[in-house]
Amino acid sequence: MSSGRKKAIVRRYTRDWVAGYVSVSAFTRQGAIEILDLSGKVLAISIQEVKWVCFVRDFNSGEIDNPEKLARKSFAGRPRGEGLWVRVQLRDGDVLEGLSENNIGLLDAEGFFLTPPDTRSNTQRVWLPRVSLAELEVVAVVGGAARKKPAVAAKPEERQESLFPMARN
C-alpha cells in the first residue's frame, strides 16, 4: 500500500458507511469522493450524499454502527491544540466540535478538516464537505503560549545605581 493513501470511513446521510483508502493529496474529484474500498474497487461517492470522511487508525473498531468511534463530539474544556475551535451543525442536526487550522483553508470550496475532541479515539481527523453544513460557528481562536518580546538593553545612563556608591570628594 502506498503512503499516499490513508484509511478512511465515509459516512453517508443514509447512515450507511464505506471503509477504504483515500488519496491524501486529492480525494475529491468533480463533486465526488474517490475511495478504494476493502474489496479493491474504486468507488466515487457524490459529495451531496456524504456526511463526513473520518481518517481512522483501524477499520476493525468492533462497532458495526459506529466504526469511527466518535463518542465525544464536543470539548469538555478548552482544547489543548492550536487553531480555530469551531462548532458545526450538520444538515441532519448532528453537532460536532473540533479544531481547524487558522488559515484560508477553512474557506476551501469543497470542505475542510477538523481535529476531533478525542484524538485518542479511532478517528484522527474529520473532513466535512461544505454542502453537509447547516451552520458553522467559530467558538474561539486557540493560540500557543504568548511569545515574549526580547528584552531591550538599558542605556548606560539608565542603569540602576549601585547600592554602595563610591565616596565623591
Side-chain angles (χ1 to χ4, degrees), residues 96-128:
L96 176 68
E97 288 185 2
L99 280 177
S100 176
E101 291 183 12
N102 190 4
N103 63 20
I104 196 100
L106 190 61
L107 302 175
D108 188 294
E110 291 184 311
F112 61 95
F113 285 96
L114 286 182
T115 303
D118 188 7
T119 55
R120 293 173 290 184
S121 71
N122 193 34
T123 298
Q124 296 174 315
R125 296 200 27 117
V126 178
W127 184 79
L128 294 166

Side-chain angles (χ1 to χ4, degrees), residues 138-155:
V138 176
V139 178
V141 178
V142 182
R147 295 182 182 155
K148 295 182 179 179
K149 294 182 180 178
V152 179
K155 296 179 184 174

